Amino acid sequence: MADPNEQIHINTTEARGGATPGMTRYILGASLALVIVAFIAVYFLWAA
């Protein structure tokens, strides 16, 4: 039986347990652009 106090060493792929396609930067950029457009629209509609 394995010692419960022994350290377990696994690589990052095994620890992550899934794929990382790198889409986060595109979603973040698109969301930021949409928020800026929404704020500009609200500003011009409220100022009119």
Side-chain angles (χ1 to χ4, degrees):
M1 180 158 245
D3 183 13
N5 295 325
E6 186 178 345
Q7 291 184 353
I8 299 172
H9 296 280
I10 56 177
N11 62 24
T12 56
T13 304
E14 292 174 347
R16 186 176 16 210
T20 53
M23 293 294 296
T24 305
R25 71 182 74 162
Y26 301 117
I27 294 171
L28 181 61
S31 300
L32 180 62
L34 288 173
V35 167
I36 291 171
V37 168
F39 277 138
I40 291 171
V42 167
Y43 176 76
F44 281 119
L45 290 174
W46 194 29

